[in-house]
Amino acid sequence: MSKKIVIAGAGIGGLCAALALAKRKFEVVVYEKSRQLGEVGAGLQLSPNAMHVLENFGIADEVKTKAFCPDSAVMRHYRTGKPYFTVPLGDSATQKYGANYLHIHRADLHAILHRACINMSVNIHLGHAIQSYQQTPKRLTIQLDNNESVNADLLIGADGIKSNVQACMLGQTAAEFTGQVAWRGVVEANKLPKELIKPNANLWVGPGKHVVSYFLRGGELVNFVAVQERTDWQKESWNEPGDISQLRQTFADWHPEVTELLSATEHCFLWALFDRKPLKQWSDRNVTLLGDACHPMLPFLAQGAAMAIEDSYALAHCLAGDTNIQSALQTYQNIRLPRTRNIQLNARKNAALYHMSSPIEQAKLMVLSGLSAVGLSNKFAATKLDSIYTYNIVDQLA
């Protein structure tokens, strides 16, 4: 008899897990607290390690029709625009890593995943949050926020950094404010001077701040994320409006490519960046965690969505290969925890580098600048990214 699996959360991680499990013939039910689907936020980066999984799911071609393929990843000085490094992407990345590197609007990826789940008969309940669970040796009972309860063979907490499932498993602990906030916005490309924004993953680094910009939807939109060290704003909501004039003022002395982009921006959002220390435990008997619920990623390696996507494939693989759920969950944790922990910690380190936070970090940038002058910084940066992008979990678990 097919095992019944309940998933808390219908974000990208939750829907990927639902799709991966449904393809392996599990009965999957998803509970999502939002009353309608349509991921807030804007762009995200799908590196080759994530695209391997989406190809296995059979949705990569549809993703490509909605995405933008950048030429390179470029880090520049915030004021002069001088490059610290340039890493080729586009066809070079495809040949090197065996899959595309793409930029996509969250809403577009979310819609593709949702359709794929519906086509696989995944049952998605909106407007219902999973609050907690209780287990006995014979039964797993899941409590919803409407006082109803459901039974299942397995519960997956894919309910984000403020996960109710994680709180029930490990106890309530507050996420830690990083002292950084992120402004996010999208601008129609035709409202910008032609060729202002280069067709790259553009990263501008400066004292206490950095800006990322790139195209979405085949070049129709430009997405940006501007991060600032700041302690007077600690709201976590992704759809909290930001003050556009304050954003422009904050980056007023930056390179014209940045200031002109922000000048053309009509609306923006602002949210605080929170973090958690890497967990040592992801599972409790027949309950496990996935994505931000167990390894929230700061956005300084652009791997948050990718790690959740990798998780989903690994979890489905382990459950399909082991009829003992608890054994399968332990294998899943053993596979995923070392990699996600490493990327979590390296993303934190990048914040200091991007913001020139200490003399040591400033010296690193000076070294990169010197290496760039003789063409060596590109190789150095590519080596740093290779350990992330060359990883192919589909092949690893074959």
Side-chain angles (χ1 to χ4, degrees):
M1 187 174 73
S2 174
K3 291 183 174 67
K4 179 181 178 180
I5 299 177
V6 170
I7 299 176
I12 288 170
L15 292 184
C16 277
L19 182 58
L21 291 161
K23 284 182 172 291
R24 294 179 181 270
K25 309 302 181 185
F26 290 99
E27 178 189 352
V28 185
V29 182
V30 181
Y31 290 91
E32 165 58 44
K33 67 180 179 181
S34 300
R35 295 189 177 277
Q36 60 181 16
L37 289 181
E39 278 257 332
V40 294
L44 59 82
Q45 301 180 48
L46 288 173
S47 46
N49 49 299
M51 288 302 298
H52 289 305
V53 176
L54 300 186
E55 289 193 8
N56 179 269
F57 289 170
I59 60 172
D61 288 343
E62 188 175 4
V63 166
K64 291 172 192 176
T65 66
K66 297 289 186 180
F68 182 84
C69 185
D71 291 345
S72 303
V74 186
M75 178 194 273
R76 292 192 176 97
H77 185 276
Y78 76 105
R79 188 174 282 170
T80 67
K82 182 179 179 179
Y84 291 112
F85 66 74
T86 301
V87 176
L89 297 175
D91 290 342
S92 296
T94 306
Q95 292 169 11
K96 183 175 184 179
Y97 304 117
N100 297 103
Y101 190 111
L102 301 175
H103 295 150
I104 192 167
H105 200 295
R106 276 183 179 270
D108 294 339
L109 177 58
H110 200 255
I112 292 168
L113 288 168
H114 183 227
R115 284 193 296 272
C117 284
I118 295 302
N119 289 341
M120 293 297 298
S121 300
V122 174
N123 196 347
I124 301 174
H125 296 274
L126 302 180
H128 294 289
I130 289 175
Q131 293 291 90
S132 62
Y133 66 86
Q134 294 176 332
Q135 291 188 91
T136 69
K138 294 185 177 181
R139 180 176 297 226
L140 168 61
T141 304
I142 300 160
Q143 284 78 40
L144 305 177
D145 58 356
N146 61 357
N147 295 320
E148 292 184 10
S149 63
V150 295
N151 295 322
D153 296 294
L154 169 66
L155 169 62
I156 300 169
D159 47 347
I161 190 170
K162 295 188 285 187
S163 167
N164 288 340
V165 178
Q166 191 215 84
C168 189
M169 179 187 298
L170 302 175
Q172 191 80 47
T173 57
E176 300 170 10
F177 177 52
T178 62
Q180 299 175 85
V181 300
W183 312 74
R184 183 185 287 272
V186 175
V187 181
E188 293 179 21
N190 61 15
K191 293 183 178 179
L192 294 165
K194 194 172 182 182
E195 298 182 357
L196 174 72
I197 306 300
K198 307 304 182 287
N200 300 319
N202 301 294
L203 168 61
W204 305 82
V205 298
K209 291 173 278 198
H210 78 272
V211 175
V212 175
S213 66
Y214 50 80
F215 286 104
L216 301 172
R217 291 183 181 160
E220 293 179 8
L221 302 175
V222 176
N223 175 81
F224 72 84
V225 180
V227 176
Q228 175 191 12
E229 293 179 4
R230 174 176 164 185
T231 58
D232 64 340
W233 182 277
Q234 296 191 24
K235 296 182 180 179
E236 293 179 77
S237 172
W238 274 41
N239 57 1
E240 188 77 29
D243 183 335
I244 191 67
S245 61
Q246 186 180 56
L247 170 61
R248 292 171 183 153
Q249 183 179 356
T250 299
F251 293 88
D253 62 342
W254 281 48
H255 191 274
E257 187 171 324
V258 175
T259 57
E260 289 191 50
L261 172 60
L262 299 183
S263 293
T265 302
E266 298 177 2
H267 307 285
C268 67
F269 298 95
L270 177 64
W271 81 97
L273 296 180
F274 283 75
D275 195 14
R276 289 185 186 274
K277 292 182 176 67
L279 297 179
K280 296 178 181 178
Q281 176 188 343
W282 289 12
S283 300
D284 171 24
R285 287 189 283 184
N286 287 26
V287 181
T288 197
L289 304 171
L290 180 147
D292 282 355
C294 50
H295 50 67
M297 299 274 168
L298 292 173
F300 307 134
L301 278 173
Q303 285 296 302
M307 290 301 101
I309 292 168
E310 286 185 8
D311 287 350
S312 70
Y313 184 87
L315 180 55
H317 173 87
C318 292
L319 289 166
D322 191 339
T323 57
N324 183 301
I325 290 176
Q326 294 178 32
S327 172
L329 296 185
Q330 185 61 54
T331 302
Y332 159 66
Q333 177 177 308
N334 292 345
I335 292 169
R336 296 299 301 150
L337 194 151
R339 176 165 165 83
T340 58
R341 181 183 187 277
N342 183 54
I343 293 175
Q344 261 186 295
L345 296 176
N346 282 330
R348 285 186 188 178
K349 291 177 184 177
N350 269 11
L353 179 67
Y354 290 2
H355 295 173
M356 305 177 178
S357 298
S358 70
I360 292 174
E361 303 305 332
Q362 292 166 25
K364 287 180 183 177
L365 289 173
M366 288 293 291
V367 170
L368 277 176
S369 183
L371 291 174
S372 178
V374 294
L376 293 176
S377 66
N378 302 348
K379 180 180 287 190
F380 172 83
T383 301
K384 288 284 189 180
L385 296 174
D386 278 353
S387 64
I388 300 174
Y389 298 164
T390 56
Y391 186 86
N392 181 343
I393 197 164
V394 178
D395 284 354
Q396 290 270 343
L397 300 180

PDB file of all heavy atoms in Angstrom, residues 233-251:
ATOM      1  N   TRP A 233      15.452  47.961  11.144  1.00  0.00           N
ATOM      2  CA  TRP A 233      14.347  47.350  10.396  1.00  0.00           C
ATOM      3  C   TRP A 233      14.462  45.843  10.554  1.00  0.00           C
ATOM      4  O   TRP A 233      15.424  45.240  10.120  1.00  0.00           O
ATOM      5  CB  TRP A 233      14.429  47.721   8.920  1.00  0.00           C
ATOM      6  CG  TRP A 233      13.295  47.172   8.097  1.00  0.00           C
ATOM      7  CD1 TRP A 233      13.183  45.924   7.551  1.00  0.00           C
ATOM      8  CD2 TRP A 233      12.103  47.849   7.725  1.00  0.00           C
ATOM      9  NE1 TRP A 233      12.010  45.780   6.874  1.00  0.00           N
ATOM     10  CE2 TRP A 233      11.314  46.956   6.957  1.00  0.00           C
ATOM     11  CE3 TRP A 233      11.615  49.136   7.954  1.00  0.00           C
ATOM     12  CZ2 TRP A 233      10.079  47.305   6.419  1.00  0.00           C
ATOM     13  CZ3 TRP A 233      10.386  49.473   7.418  1.00  0.00           C
ATOM     14  CH2 TRP A 233       9.633  48.575   6.667  1.00  0.00           C
ATOM     15  N   GLN A 234      13.468  45.236  11.194  1.00  0.00           N
ATOM     16  CA  GLN A 234      13.556  43.796  11.442  1.00  0.00           C
ATOM     17  C   GLN A 234      12.292  43.062  11.031  1.00  0.00           C
ATOM     18  O   GLN A 234      11.959  42.014  11.577  1.00  0.00           O
ATOM     19  CB  GLN A 234      13.883  43.531  12.926  1.00  0.00           C
ATOM     20  CG  GLN A 234      15.248  44.066  13.317  1.00  0.00           C
ATOM     21  CD  GLN A 234      15.700  43.591  14.673  1.00  0.00           C
ATOM     22  OE1 GLN A 234      15.256  42.558  15.165  1.00  0.00           O
ATOM     23  NE2 GLN A 234      16.590  44.349  15.303  1.00  0.00           N
ATOM     24  N   LYS A 235      11.562  43.593  10.034  1.00  0.00           N
ATOM     25  CA  LYS A 235      10.377  42.906   9.532  1.00  0.00           C
ATOM     26  C   LYS A 235      10.803  41.861   8.505  1.00  0.00           C
ATOM     27  O   LYS A 235      11.569  42.152   7.595  1.00  0.00           O
ATOM     28  CB  LYS A 235       9.397  43.901   8.906  1.00  0.00           C
ATOM     29  CG  LYS A 235       8.837  44.899   9.916  1.00  0.00           C
ATOM     30  CD  LYS A 235       7.828  45.828   9.261  1.00  0.00           C
ATOM     31  CE  LYS A 235       7.272  46.825  10.262  1.00  0.00           C
ATOM     32  NZ  LYS A 235       6.294  47.750   9.632  1.00  0.00           N
ATOM     33  N   GLU A 236      10.259  40.655   8.646  1.00  0.00           N
ATOM     34  CA  GLU A 236      10.675  39.545   7.783  1.00  0.00           C
ATOM     35  C   GLU A 236       9.820  39.404   6.525  1.00  0.00           C
ATOM     36  O   GLU A 236      10.160  38.655   5.634  1.00  0.00           O
ATOM     37  CB  GLU A 236      10.599  38.233   8.572  1.00  0.00           C
ATOM     38  CG  GLU A 236      11.596  38.132   9.694  1.00  0.00           C
ATOM     39  CD  GLU A 236      11.453  36.820  10.445  1.00  0.00           C
ATOM     40  OE1 GLU A 236      11.906  35.793   9.919  1.00  0.00           O
ATOM     41  OE2 GLU A 236      10.871  36.827  11.532  1.00  0.00           O
ATOM     42  N   SER A 237       8.698  40.094   6.461  1.00  0.00           N
ATOM     43  CA  SER A 237       7.768  39.885   5.350  1.00  0.00           C
ATOM     44  C   SER A 237       8.396  40.267   4.017  1.00  0.00           C
ATOM     45  O   SER A 237       9.022  41.322   3.887  1.00  0.00           O
ATOM     46  CB  SER A 237       6.504  40.730   5.567  1.00  0.00           C
ATOM     47  OG  SER A 237       5.670  40.681   4.423  1.00  0.00           O
ATOM     48  N   TRP A 238       8.183  39.388   3.017  1.00  0.00           N
ATOM     49  CA  TRP A 238       8.700  39.656   1.674  1.00  0.00           C
ATOM     50  C   TRP A 238       7.872  40.695   0.924  1.00  0.00           C
ATOM     51  O   TRP A 238       8.304  41.202  -0.097  1.00  0.00           O
ATOM     52  CB  TRP A 238       8.715  38.350   0.860  1.00  0.00           C
ATOM     53  CG  TRP A 238       9.945  37.549   1.049  1.00  0.00           C
ATOM     54  CD1 TRP A 238      10.608  37.323   2.217  1.00  0.00           C
ATOM     55  CD2 TRP A 238      10.675  36.857   0.050  1.00  0.00           C
ATOM     56  NE1 TRP A 238      11.695  36.525   2.003  1.00  0.00           N
ATOM     57  CE2 TRP A 238      11.765  36.211   0.680  1.00  0.00           C
ATOM     58  CE3 TRP A 238      10.505  36.696  -1.323  1.00  0.00           C
ATOM     59  CZ2 TRP A 238      12.685  35.443  -0.014  1.00  0.00           C
ATOM     60  CZ3 TRP A 238      11.427  35.930  -2.008  1.00  0.00           C
ATOM     61  CH2 TRP A 238      12.488  35.316  -1.362  1.00  0.00           C
ATOM     62  N   ASN A 239       6.667  40.994   1.387  1.00  0.00           N
ATOM     63  CA  ASN A 239       5.825  41.937   0.647  1.00  0.00           C
ATOM     64  C   ASN A 239       5.582  43.221   1.430  1.00  0.00           C
ATOM     65  O   ASN A 239       4.567  43.872   1.283  1.00  0.00           O
ATOM     66  CB  ASN A 239       4.488  41.284   0.257  1.00  0.00           C
ATOM     67  CG  ASN A 239       3.725  40.752   1.460  1.00  0.00           C
ATOM     68  OD1 ASN A 239       4.176  40.881   2.590  1.00  0.00           O
ATOM     69  ND2 ASN A 239       2.574  40.160   1.214  1.00  0.00           N
ATOM     70  N   GLU A 240       6.557  43.599   2.267  1.00  0.00           N
ATOM     71  CA  GLU A 240       6.506  44.864   2.992  1.00  0.00           C
ATOM     72  C   GLU A 240       7.073  45.960   2.085  1.00  0.00           C
ATOM     73  O   GLU A 240       8.242  45.889   1.685  1.00  0.00           O
ATOM     74  CB  GLU A 240       7.327  44.762   4.279  1.00  0.00           C
ATOM     75  CG  GLU A 240       7.195  45.954   5.196  1.00  0.00           C
ATOM     76  CD  GLU A 240       5.892  45.969   5.970  1.00  0.00           C
ATOM     77  OE1 GLU A 240       5.354  44.883   6.248  1.00  0.00           O
ATOM     78  OE2 GLU A 240       5.408  47.075   6.277  1.00  0.00           O
ATOM     79  N   PRO A 241       6.277  46.968   1.720  1.00  0.00           N
ATOM     80  CA  PRO A 241       6.777  48.008   0.813  1.00  0.00           C
ATOM     81  C   PRO A 241       7.964  48.753   1.400  1.00  0.00           C
ATOM     82  O   PRO A 241       8.023  49.028   2.605  1.00  0.00           O
ATOM     83  CB  PRO A 241       5.571  48.944   0.650  1.00  0.00           C
ATOM     84  CG  PRO A 241       4.385  48.111   1.004  1.00  0.00           C
ATOM     85  CD  PRO A 241       4.857  47.167   2.060  1.00  0.00           C
ATOM     86  N   GLY A 242       8.923  49.065   0.546  1.00  0.00           N
ATOM     87  CA  GLY A 242      10.069  49.868   0.952  1.00  0.00           C
ATOM     88  C   GLY A 242       9.921  51.291   0.446  1.00  0.00           C
ATOM     89  O   GLY A 242       9.139  51.562  -0.481  1.00  0.00           O
ATOM     90  N   ASP A 243      10.669  52.196   1.020  1.00  0.00           N
ATOM     91  CA  ASP A 243      10.661  53.609   0.626  1.00  0.00           C
ATOM     92  C   ASP A 243      11.653  53.777  -0.528  1.00  0.00           C
ATOM     93  O   ASP A 243      12.866  53.724  -0.323  1.00  0.00           O
ATOM     94  CB  ASP A 243      11.048  54.464   1.831  1.00  0.00           C
ATOM     95  CG  ASP A 243      10.996  55.953   1.541  1.00  0.00           C
ATOM     96  OD1 ASP A 243      11.137  56.340   0.360  1.00  0.00           O
ATOM     97  OD2 ASP A 243      10.850  56.738   2.497  1.00  0.00           O
ATOM     98  N   ILE A 244      11.122  53.995  -1.725  1.00  0.00           N
ATOM     99  CA  ILE A 244      11.983  54.036  -2.900  1.00  0.00           C
ATOM    100  C   ILE A 244      12.958  55.205  -2.852  1.00  0.00           C
ATOM    101  O   ILE A 244      14.113  55.092  -3.284  1.00  0.00           O
ATOM    102  CB  ILE A 244      11.134  54.076  -4.203  1.00  0.00           C
ATOM    103  CG1 ILE A 244      12.025  53.841  -5.425  1.00  0.00           C
ATOM    104  CG2 ILE A 244      10.363  55.365  -4.321  1.00  0.00           C
ATOM    105  CD1 ILE A 244      12.593  52.470  -5.506  1.00  0.00           C
ATOM    106  N   SER A 245      12.546  56.334  -2.286  1.00  0.00           N
ATOM    107  CA  SER A 245      13.448  57.487  -2.201  1.00  0.00           C
ATOM    108  C   SER A 245      14.594  57.196  -1.241  1.00  0.00           C
ATOM    109  O   SER A 245      15.743  57.610  -1.471  1.00  0.00           O
ATOM    110  CB  SER A 245      12.688  58.739  -1.768  1.00  0.00           C
ATOM    111  OG  SER A 245      12.111  58.562  -0.495  1.00  0.00           O
ATOM    112  N   GLN A 246      14.295  56.472  -0.160  1.00  0.00           N
ATOM    113  CA  GLN A 246      15.342  56.082   0.783  1.00  0.00           C
ATOM    114  C   GLN A 246      16.323  55.108   0.129  1.00  0.00           C
ATOM    115  O   GLN A 246      17.540  55.196   0.342  1.00  0.00           O
ATOM    116  CB  GLN A 246      14.715  55.469   2.027  1.00  0.00           C
ATOM    117  CG  GLN A 246      15.713  55.172   3.135  1.00  0.00           C
ATOM    118  CD  GLN A 246      15.059  54.552   4.358  1.00  0.00           C
ATOM    119  OE1 GLN A 246      14.391  53.526   4.248  1.00  0.00           O
ATOM    120  NE2 GLN A 246      15.227  55.178   5.507  1.00  0.00           N
ATOM    121  N   LEU A 247      15.798  54.183  -0.673  1.00  0.00           N
ATOM    122  CA  LEU A 247      16.664  53.248  -1.395  1.00  0.00           C
ATOM    123  C   LEU A 247      17.614  54.004  -2.310  1.00  0.00           C
ATOM    124  O   LEU A 247      18.825  53.745  -2.334  1.00  0.00           O
ATOM    125  CB  LEU A 247      15.808  52.265  -2.201  1.00  0.00           C
ATOM    126  CG  LEU A 247      16.546  51.379  -3.199  1.00  0.00           C
ATOM    127  CD1 LEU A 247      17.571  50.489  -2.507  1.00  0.00           C
ATOM    128  CD2 LEU A 247      15.546  50.525  -3.987  1.00  0.00           C
ATOM    129  N   ARG A 248      17.085  54.953  -3.087  1.00  0.00           N
ATOM    130  CA  ARG A 248      17.932  55.719  -4.005  1.00  0.00           C
ATOM    131  C   ARG A 248      18.994  56.504  -3.253  1.00  0.00           C
ATOM    132  O   ARG A 248      20.155  56.575  -3.673  1.00  0.00           O
ATOM    133  CB  ARG A 248      17.059  56.651  -4.840  1.00  0.00           C
ATOM    134  CG  ARG A 248      16.158  55.930  -5.828  1.00  0.00           C
ATOM    135  CD  ARG A 248      15.175  56.888  -6.456  1.00  0.00           C
ATOM    136  NE  ARG A 248      14.248  56.189  -7.348  1.00  0.00           N
ATOM    137  CZ  ARG A 248      13.029  56.619  -7.626  1.00  0.00           C
ATOM    138  NH1 ARG A 248      12.579  57.742  -7.078  1.00  0.00           N
ATOM    139  NH2 ARG A 248      12.253  55.948  -8.450  1.00  0.00           N
ATOM    140  N   GLN A 249      18.598  57.092  -2.139  1.00  0.00           N
ATOM    141  CA  GLN A 249      19.543  57.875  -1.337  1.00  0.00           C
ATOM    142  C   GLN A 249      20.648  56.980  -0.769  1.00  0.00           C
ATOM    143  O   GLN A 249      21.817  57.369  -0.721  1.00  0.00           O
ATOM    144  CB  GLN A 249      18.801  58.579  -0.207  1.00  0.00           C
ATOM    145  CG  GLN A 249      19.685  59.473   0.648  1.00  0.00           C
ATOM    146  CD  GLN A 249      18.905  60.178   1.748  1.00  0.00           C
ATOM    147  OE1 GLN A 249      17.687  60.053   1.840  1.00  0.00           O
ATOM    148  NE2 GLN A 249      19.604  60.911   2.595  1.00  0.00           N
ATOM    149  N   THR A 250      20.289  55.769  -0.349  1.00  0.00           N
ATOM    150  CA  THR A 250      21.242  54.840   0.256  1.00  0.00           C
ATOM    151  C   THR A 250      22.364  54.482  -0.713  1.00  0.00           C
ATOM    152  O   THR A 250      23.512  54.276  -0.311  1.00  0.00           O
ATOM    153  CB  THR A 250      20.509  53.567   0.714  1.00  0.00           C
ATOM    154  OG1 THR A 250      19.533  53.913   1.694  1.00  0.00           O
ATOM    155  CG2 THR A 250      21.468  52.554   1.314  1.00  0.00           C
ATOM    156  N   PHE A 251      22.039  54.408  -2.014  1.00  0.00           N
ATOM    157  CA  PHE A 251      23.037  54.007  -3.012  1.00  0.00           C
ATOM    158  C   PHE A 251      23.355  55.164  -3.975  1.00  0.00           C
ATOM    159  O   PHE A 251      23.786  54.935  -5.099  1.00  0.00           O
ATOM    160  CB  PHE A 251      22.520  52.793  -3.788  1.00  0.00           C
ATOM    161  CG  PHE A 251      22.415  51.550  -2.939  1.00  0.00           C
ATOM    162  CD1 PHE A 251      21.257  51.273  -2.225  1.00  0.00           C
ATOM    163  CD2 PHE A 251      23.485  50.678  -2.825  1.00  0.00           C
ATOM    164  CE1 PHE A 251      21.154  50.141  -1.431  1.00  0.00           C
ATOM    165  CE2 PHE A 251      23.398  49.544  -2.031  1.00  0.00           C
ATOM    166  CZ  PHE A 251      22.242  49.275  -1.320  1.00  0.00           C
TER     167      PHE A 251
END
